[in-house]
Every structure is written in C-alpha cells, then in structure tokens.
Amino acid sequence: MNAPCYRCARRAINCHTACTDYAEYRKVCNQIQTAREAERRIDAADSERGDKIRKDVHKNGLYNQRKGRKR
C-alpha cells in the first residue's frame, strides 16, 4: 500500500497536516498496526505459557513425577 503522497501534484512541505487523503491513509495504517500489536500480544502469551510448561516438565518430569525416582 503506497502513501497518497506518492506522485501527488499538491505535495508541499508539511502538507500532511491539511491533507484529507493522508489522514484517511494514516487511519488505515493505525488500524493495521493495532491489529498486529494485538496479534503479537496473543502470540507472546502463548509462547510464555509454552516456556513455563517446558520448564516445569524439565524440572519435575512428565506428569509431575520427579526424574530418577523409581517406583
């Protein structure tokens, strides 16, 4: 997605503040960024949970049995 400034005939210094096309473009970009951040937060929570499970299994063994303990 290209910015509306690309090859714009009305382009000038500091024109972003008054340009309605750029304001709409920025709004879409902000929505995309917000969606990506939400997805990253979900992925981070899943990876932290997986790390905790792996650490617990390494420490306690599978099914919470101590490693090396004979029954």
Side-chain angles (χ1 to χ4, degrees):
M1 180 164 72
N2 290 334
C5 304
Y6 183 67
R7 294 186 178 177
C8 178
R10 299 172 298 169
R11 188 167 182 188
I13 295 174
N14 295 329
C15 64
H16 288 160
T17 57
C19 183
T20 57
D21 293 337
Y22 184 78
E24 291 174 17
Y25 167 76
R26 205 58 241 162
K27 190 183 300 183
V28 171
C29 287
N30 288 342
Q31 290 173 349
I32 292 170
Q33 183 180 9
T34 303
R36 285 180 181 167
E37 288 173 0
E39 188 174 331
R40 270 191 229 116
R41 276 186 253 125
I42 291 169
D43 290 343
D46 286 344
S47 68
E48 288 176 9
R49 183 173 178 265
D51 291 343
K52 182 185 179 309
I53 290 170
R54 280 188 285 281
K55 187 174 24 171
D56 288 345
V57 168
H58 181 73
K59 180 181 174 185
N60 299 322
L62 198 58
Y63 305 117
N64 232 6
Q65 297 174 351
R66 291 184 166 223
K67 289 185 175 182
R69 187 170 132 190
K70 295 184 180 180
R71 294 178 120 182

